[in-house]
Amino acid sequence: MTSSPSLATIRVDGPAPEADVARDLARRAIPVIPAALLFGLCWGIDGALSAAFGLALVVLNFLLAAALISQAAKVSLALLMVATLGGYLVRLALVFGAVLLVKDASWMELWPMGLTLVIAHLGLLWWETRYVSASLAYPGLKPARKE
């Protein structure tokens, strides 16, 4: 009698599409920087600095998520599941901790930083959906068109 492999022993070999998507998302955040800074300027220079801090947290959050998932997939599917759910909670705590560390700083304006966190997370994810393939043939980013 043969037993099927368990989730603790199955690993995912091959490319890590989540890393490609996160790098692409970070690249797409670059043109958002001026908009975030202009938005933050409604609260003055401190607001612009706070918005920049919020945008940096968003990009680091996406990159850390991709790193956790791609490394966990190389070990086992069970660890992948733990890293996905547990990593979300850890990353949420890290963002919360980063905000707590700077909330009383002289340059910190909470409204522009908080709005930038929410809008940039949702906006960048929505923007990235146009470039992600929903196909097993091309996991990750859509292949470039040949014209």
Side-chain angles (χ1 to χ4, degrees):
M1 183 169 130
T2 62
S3 64
S4 61
S6 74
L7 290 177
T9 59
I10 298 174
R11 21 181 287 168
V12 179
D13 293 320
E18 59 279 347
D20 293 337
V21 171
R23 280 191 298 272
D24 190 61
L25 200 142
R27 185 179 58 84
R28 293 191 195 288
I30 293 171
V32 175
I33 294 170
L37 293 177
L38 284 174
F39 168 71
L41 278 175
C42 294
W43 285 268
I45 296 295
D46 292 343
L49 291 172
S50 300
F53 179 76
L55 189 58
L57 281 178
V58 169
V59 171
L60 289 172
N61 186 26
F62 286 134
L63 292 173
L64 182 57
L68 282 170
I69 292 169
S70 60
Q71 292 303 312
K74 292 176 185 175
V75 177
S76 73
L77 288 180
L79 186 60
L80 173 63
M81 289 184 260
V82 169
T84 303
L85 180 59
Y88 172 74
L89 297 173
V90 167
R91 288 180 297 108
L92 194 61
L94 287 173
V95 169
F96 182 72
V99 172
L100 277 180
L101 283 174
V102 298
K103 74 177 178 64
D104 294 324
S106 62
W107 55 270
M108 177 52 68
E109 293 285 340
L110 290 177
W111 272 102
M113 191 270 311
L115 289 172
T116 302
L117 271 175
V118 172
I119 293 168
H121 266 106
L122 297 176
L124 286 170
L125 283 172
W126 177 77
W127 190 7
E128 190 66 19
T129 59
R130 298 178 55 208
Y131 303 98
V132 174
S133 172
S135 162
L136 290 176
Y138 299 105
L141 299 174
K142 290 180 184 175
R145 286 186 179 174
K146 294 180 183 177
E147 295 181 28

